[in-house]
Amino acid sequence: MAHPLYRGAVIAGVAESDEIGDVPNKSSLQLHAEAAMNALADAGIDKSEVDGIATAGVSTMQIAEYLGITPKYTDGTAVGGSSFVIHVGHALEAIADGRASVVLITHGQAHLRGWNDTRNQSQPRGGGAPDPSNLAGQYEAPYGVIGAPQAYSLACMRHMSQYGTTKAQLAEIAVQTRQWAAMNPKAMMHSKETHPNGGPITVDDVLNSRLISYPFNILDCCLVTDAGGATVVVSPERAQDLKKQPVWVLGIGEAHDHAMISQMPDLTRTPAQYSGPAAMGMAGVTHDDIDLCMIYDSFTYTVLVTLESLGFCKPGEGGAFVSGGRLGPGGALPTNTNGGGLSYTHPGMYGMFLLLEATRQLRGECGQRQVPDCKVALVNGTGGSLSSTGTLVLGSD
Amino acid sequence: MTTQTTYRKPVPMITPENERYWQGCKQHELWMRHCNACAKPYFYPRDVCPMCGSRDVDWKQMSGRGTLYTYAIVHRPPTPGFADDVPFITAIVQLDEGPRMMTNLTGIEPDPATITVGMPVQVTFEDLTEEISLPKFRPA
């Protein structure tokens, strides 16, 4: 018997802000607003119909006020970059409960040119004493573990040591993701026209790029960009009159098992080990049913450890699994077809953009990079220091 | 001893909950919270045992011995205060008593060829301020 919430909601609209990448003259709120209005236009839904709101990085009260919305359902779940994926699951539950029929989920982060109004204000930037309520400031920052590259590189080294995973295998992920980026004109690293360092890369290019926090070179690390994104989730009833074909939410899952990287129970397993089976079980799908994976790629390692944690391969087999072009164009498991956080965009909390690409692939809107016959997509957002995950299974009719 | 005016990296803050920990470090001793119900120590210091929920918790001195659980070598300074330190080694150490903690590995070249996950390590303390000494680890 199907799960009672199976196909309980529909993704009706998705969009980026007007521009993404290097956007010098816009604040985070402007990026939220642009993306929100673009996503509503994509859905063919007027702002007056929005009765639920969700966001992270800024208060839902701020976003709703700015846009002139009076929501009856509000979700400020903020667990890092996975938040927006988790918001979709919560929206489904609110819709199933009759508390909302059109939920607008927004994201926006601007920080390349000092419009840094939402990013990482809890982290110590200088040498002062940390806020005692910030445990990472107390027990990690004094050692120079400040920011994602430091935390994730520690986890990656544990995997390499425990399983013999190599830097060349990790580099394969960056190379294949860049191949997808070459087919997405919105990707920052699409080509030399879009960025001086854009265009195809090789495993050697990754291994020879600048070291950030060993074992990560800079090409193991995501971009740092400005961007906004938004997703509109509606009830199955409201979905009967949409501008575009509906994308069904088939399964949802969420979990977190630590906050600081030093407290992670197993550095080689993310909470996707919990959220993945929950989402796939609700959707009633197996790994063989998945046509597209959208996996948060803050770092190359994030993809490898997530695929293992989701059960696409066994623990420790990720290095071999991602090699040989499996994730790239023409591969058996097309993954991160927008070019990912590694080569498309990554404004700090990237999870929203997983939703955009999965929806577009399921609608068949992706042109040159379209995955043939794409019916079922798995989305997995990761937030914090490999701390939180949200998994969705999405499907087209 | 480095004074706070010249020390440009984050300095931990003593609070009622962690005061005993930093007092120990000041004496170059590693003390951790110990759950009397579990009969096990845990880190970081808090008044409720994260394993069983007991509030019957104590303090115990650790041996200071452990093994390297994982490490990384930081090449890009995370804040300007670390500019003179790079490359330096961040590490998670697992104490012989069980708890894992973030630290720096010192007294060894920051070179993957010389560092081995699982290698035995021993606590050492860096005096940051009049009040704070930071526990770090070196090869045992």
Side-chain angles (χ1 to χ4, degrees), chain A residues 253-390:
Chain A
E254 66 189 69
H256 49 80
D257 65 5
H258 65 286
M260 292 187 279
I261 195 70
S262 58
Q263 299 293 315
M264 188 168 176
D266 180 347
L267 294 170
T268 68
R269 301 287 283 174
T270 82
Q273 67 184 305
Y274 310 114
S275 60
M280 292 179 70
M282 177 173 162
V285 299
T286 67
H287 296 93
D288 289 341
D289 296 321
I290 305 297
D291 300 313
L292 166 74
C293 271
M294 291 303 301
I295 306 290
Y296 199 121
D297 58 340
S298 43
F299 301 92
T300 50
Y301 176 65
T302 316
V303 177
L304 185 147
V305 70
T306 301
L307 288 168
E308 288 185 7
S309 300
L310 289 169
F312 281 95
C313 60
K314 289 181 181 154
E317 292 182 353
F321 186 81
V322 302
S323 300
R326 186 190 302 265
L327 310 183
L333 187 64
T335 296
N336 296 344
T337 53
N338 56 356
L342 292 170
S343 287
Y344 150 69
T345 205
H346 191 291
M349 295 187 292
Y350 164 74
M352 173 64 77
F353 300 86
L354 304 168
L355 301 170
L356 272 52
E357 179 71 2
T359 299
R360 288 167 176 162
Q361 285 283 0
L362 290 165
R363 288 172 174 173
E365 294 179 337
C366 288
Q368 193 189 358
R369 69 178 190 278
Q370 179 64 45
V371 172
D373 204 27
C374 186
K375 298 286 190 202
V376 180
L378 183 143
V379 172
N380 190 94
T382 302
S385 297
L386 291 164
S387 314
S388 69
T389 59

Side-chain angles (χ1 to χ4, degrees), chain A residues 88-112:
Chain A
V88 174
H90 295 179
L92 176 147
E93 290 166 339
I95 286 166
D97 204 25
R99 298 167 58 209
S101 59
V102 178
V103 178
L104 174 63
I105 309 171
T106 72
H107 160 274
Q109 285 178 288
H111 39 69
L112 285 184

Side-chain angles (χ1 to χ4, degrees), chain A residues 125 127-130 132 135 138-140 142-144 153-154 157-158 161 211-214 260-261 263-265 267, chain B residues 8-13 15 18 43-45 69-73 75-76 78-79 82 88 100 102-104 112 117 135:
Chain A
R125 286 290 168 206
L135 292 165
Q138 294 276 43
Y139 300 114
E140 295 197 341
Y143 299 105
S153 55
L154 285 159
M157 174 53 70
R158 181 69 198 182
S161 158
L211 275 166
I212 298 297
S213 182
Y214 181 89
M260 292 187 279
I261 195 70
Q263 299 293 315
M264 188 168 176
L267 294 170
Chain B
R8 295 170 61 225
K9 295 177 275 188
V11 178
M13 181 176 285
T15 68
N18 68 26
F43 189 76
Y44 47 91
Y69 188 73
T70 191
Y71 74 96
I73 304 172
H75 289 262
R76 184 185 65 180
T79 67
F82 290 92
F88 65 92
R100 294 203 295 257
M102 188 64 74
T103 192
N104 293 129
V117 169

Side-chain angles (χ1 to χ4, degrees), chain A residues 51-71:
Chain A
D51 56 4
I53 194 123
T55 195
V58 58
S59 166
T60 50
M61 293 185 289
Q62 182 79 81
I63 296 298
E65 176 192 273
Y66 187 106
L67 294 173
I69 290 168
T70 306

Side-chain angles (χ1 to χ4, degrees), chain A residues 7-264:
Chain A
R7 290 167 70 97
V10 164
I11 294 182
V14 294
E16 290 103 341
S17 47
D18 294 354
E19 302 164 81
I20 61 170
D22 183 2
V23 187
N25 299 318
K26 286 173 184 164
S27 71
S28 295
L29 281 174
Q30 285 176 287
L31 296 172
H32 274 268
E34 286 182 2
M37 299 318 290
N38 291 342
L40 287 166
D42 187 59
I45 293 178
D46 190 82
K47 175 174 81 73
S48 62
E49 282 193 63
V50 176
D51 56 4
I53 194 123
T55 195
V58 58
S59 166
T60 50
M61 293 185 289
Q62 182 79 81
I63 296 298
E65 176 192 273
Y66 187 106
L67 294 173
I69 290 168
T70 306
K72 314 304 183 300
Y73 165 76
T74 188
D75 180 11
T77 302
V79 289
S82 61
S83 302
F84 312 92
V85 178
I86 291 172
H87 293 155
V88 174
H90 295 179
L92 176 147
E93 290 166 339
I95 286 166
D97 204 25
R99 298 167 58 209
S101 59
V102 178
V103 178
L104 174 63
I105 309 171
T106 72
H107 160 274
Q109 285 178 288
H111 39 69
L112 285 184
R113 301 291 175 88
W115 293 98
N116 182 358
D117 48 11
T118 61
R119 185 186 183 222
N120 281 345
Q121 290 178 351
S122 61
Q123 289 190 344
R125 286 290 168 206
D131 176 346
S133 68
N134 180 345
L135 292 165
Q138 294 276 43
Y139 300 114
E140 295 197 341
Y143 299 105
V145 178
I146 301 169
Q150 281 73 31
Y152 283 65
S153 55
L154 285 159
C156 185
M157 174 53 70
R158 181 69 198 182
H159 198 282
M160 292 170 68
S161 158
Q162 193 166 319
Y163 294 117
T165 308
T166 66
K167 280 178 54 57
Q169 289 172 328
L170 292 159
E172 294 258 6
I173 295 166
V175 169
Q176 294 171 66
T177 308
R178 184 65 66 90
Q179 289 167 354
W180 286 117
M183 293 187 276
N184 183 2
K186 288 182 179 172
M188 180 175 263
M189 293 297 170
H190 170 268
S191 60
K192 294 286 179 218
E193 283 72 50
T194 57
H195 192 281
N197 298 325
I201 53 173
T202 65
V203 167
D204 280 343
D205 288 336
V206 181
L207 299 180
N208 294 325
S209 64
R210 185 160 58 95
L211 275 166
I212 298 297
S213 182
Y214 181 89
F216 291 155
N217 299 66
I218 196 163
L219 289 176
D220 287 296
C221 304
C222 65
L223 304 169
V224 179
T225 68
D226 307 308
T231 294
V232 182
V233 182
V234 304
S235 65
E237 295 72 33
R238 182 61 186 84
Q240 287 170 6
D241 178 28
L242 294 177
K243 202 160 110 188
K244 293 183 173 172
Q245 74 174 91
V247 167
W248 293 92
V249 183
L250 307 181
I252 64 175
E254 66 189 69
H256 49 80
D257 65 5
H258 65 286
M260 292 187 279
I261 195 70
S262 58
Q263 299 293 315
M264 188 168 176

Side-chain angles (χ1 to χ4, degrees), chain A residues 137-144, chain B residues 7 9-13 21-22 24-26 28-30 43 82 101-104 106 123-129 131-137:
Chain A
Q138 294 276 43
Y139 300 114
E140 295 197 341
Y143 299 105
Chain B
Y7 189 80
K9 295 177 275 188
V11 178
M13 181 176 285
Y21 174 71
W22 293 116
C25 290
K26 178 71 192 154
H28 290 197
E29 297 172 354
L30 194 59
F43 189 76
F82 290 92
M101 62 183 292
M102 188 64 74
T103 192
N104 293 129
T106 65
V123 74
T124 178
F125 290 87
E126 182 182 339
D127 299 327
L128 302 189
T129 67
E131 290 182 315
I132 296 286
S133 296
L134 199 59
K136 298 191 171 185
F137 285 78

